[in-house]
């Protein structure tokens, strides 16, 4: 795909898609800072409050940049990204999200977005990466790469280790787990040790925290 890099005299057209006004306003402020820092003029040509509107705005304006929240009403996630790639293949897509599920993050990365930032990241991080993104480069925030790596690690758990995980979280002792699974306490301890090694934790409390953080168990 040929990427058109705007000159310093040519405005960078932008669509902002988020269902929260405060986020749209924050990105407007970010673009004003980027204009001062890099000399490009960033021209916000449209905003969208839901997924279907985001697709329609991009189709109408074919912007150089799309700031996209993938958790919006009416359409969300990779379905938006796929439609945008269809209607405006040269638009550079910057996703910003509060999602912390390794599986969902991996799906977004695999969809081919040009940049992925956390909503908790410093604004300066996004500003600094704009020239790279406009030149055709790609940036995935390090915390998301770490999250995906943890998700892949967790995916290697055996069925028995997942059973042990759920029982540890529910507060069962090794003996109680052994009785339920009809195996010896020594075998339970072996599975438990393997589980904790894979998830790089050293106590039941750490195991529970890691399982909740990585979406390995239902938070309820």
């Amino acid at each position: 795909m040929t990427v058109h890099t705007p000159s310093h005299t040519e405005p960078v057209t932008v669509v902002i898609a988020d269902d929260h006004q405060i986020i749209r306003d924050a990105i407007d402020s970010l673009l004003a800072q980027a204009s001062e820092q890099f000399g490009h003029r960033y021209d916000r040509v449209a905003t969208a409050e839901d997924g279907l509107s985001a697709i329609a705005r991009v189709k109408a304006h074919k912007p150089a940049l799309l700031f996209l929240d993938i958790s919006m009403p009416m359409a969300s996630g990779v379905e938006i990204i796929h439609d945008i790639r269809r209607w405006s293949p040269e638009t550079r897509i910057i996703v910003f999200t509060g999602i912390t599920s390794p599986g969902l993050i991996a799906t977004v990365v695999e969809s081919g977005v040009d940049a992925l930032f956390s909503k908790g990241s410093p604004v300066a991080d996004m500003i600094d990466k704009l020239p790279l993104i406009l030149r055709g480069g790609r940036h995935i925030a390090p915390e998301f790469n770490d999250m995906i790596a943890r998700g892949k690690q967790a995916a290697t758990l055996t069925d028995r280790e997942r059973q042990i995980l759920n029982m540890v979280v529910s507060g069962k002792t090794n003996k109680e787990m052994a009785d339920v699974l009809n195996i010896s306490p020594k075998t339970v301890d072996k599975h438990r040790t393997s589980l904790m090694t894979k998830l790089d934790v050293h106590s039941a409390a750490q195991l529970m925290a890691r399982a909740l953080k990585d979406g390995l168990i239902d938070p309820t």
Side-chain angles (χ1 to χ4, degrees):
M1 179 180 72
T2 302
V3 176
H4 173 62
T5 304
S7 67
H8 282 278
T9 58
E10 183 181 356
V12 178
T13 53
V14 180
V15 169
I16 301 171
D18 192 283
D19 56 335
H20 294 98
Q21 181 70 48
I22 191 170
I23 299 295
R24 299 196 298 273
D25 290 345
I27 294 175
D28 270 333
S29 297
L30 178 154
L31 295 175
Q33 293 179 48
S35 295
E36 293 180 6
Q37 184 169 332
F38 299 118
H40 283 308
R41 182 163 65 87
Y42 290 85
D43 182 11
R44 193 222 337 119
V45 295
T47 61
E49 299 179 15
D50 60 69
L52 292 180
S53 296
I55 296 167
R57 303 291 186 274
V58 170
K59 185 178 179 181
H61 295 279
K62 304 225 172 7
L65 278 179
L66 168 66
F67 287 85
L68 176 67
D69 177 10
I70 57 170
S71 300
M72 290 190 295
M74 298 181 72
S76 62
V78 296
E79 63 182 304
I80 298 179
I81 297 167
H82 289 159
D83 275 352
I84 286 166
R85 289 294 188 217
R86 175 187 175 192
W87 294 111
S88 185
E90 291 192 9
T91 295
R92 308 293 289 165
I93 302 174
I94 299 177
V95 168
F96 49 100
T97 184
I99 291 174
T100 57
S101 165
L104 291 176
I105 291 299
T107 299
V108 173
V109 171
E110 289 165 4
S111 74
V113 296
D114 301 297
L116 180 61
F117 294 93
S118 167
K119 284 189 173 180
S121 298
V123 170
D125 290 354
M126 196 180 295
I127 293 175
D128 289 343
K129 296 301 179 183
L130 285 178
L132 168 71
I133 296 162
L134 286 169
R135 289 195 306 268
R138 194 181 197 216
H139 176 76
I140 305 300
E143 60 264 37
F144 289 125
N145 286 321
D146 293 343
M147 197 180 295
I148 292 169
R150 291 198 304 269
K152 288 179 178 177
Q153 185 181 40
T156 66
L157 297 181
T158 66
D159 289 342
R160 182 66 86 193
E161 286 166 350
R162 290 182 183 277
Q163 286 179 311
I164 298 293
L165 170 61
N166 285 308
M167 291 184 183
V168 170
V169 169
S170 68
K172 285 185 168 55
T173 65
N174 280 11
K175 184 179 184 308
E176 289 170 333
M177 287 186 270
D179 290 342
V180 171
L181 298 173
N182 197 28
I183 57 178
S184 70
K186 185 175 180 180
T187 300
V188 168
D189 189 61
K190 179 182 176 182
H191 288 305
R192 184 169 179 159
T193 299
S194 175
L195 167 67
M196 295 177 77
T197 299
K198 286 182 179 181
L199 297 182
D200 191 27
V201 296
H202 307 287
S203 68
Q206 289 180 351
L207 180 61
M208 183 179 295
R210 174 67 188 274
L212 284 168
K213 183 177 181 181
D214 290 359
L216 301 177
I217 56 174
D218 188 334
T220 60

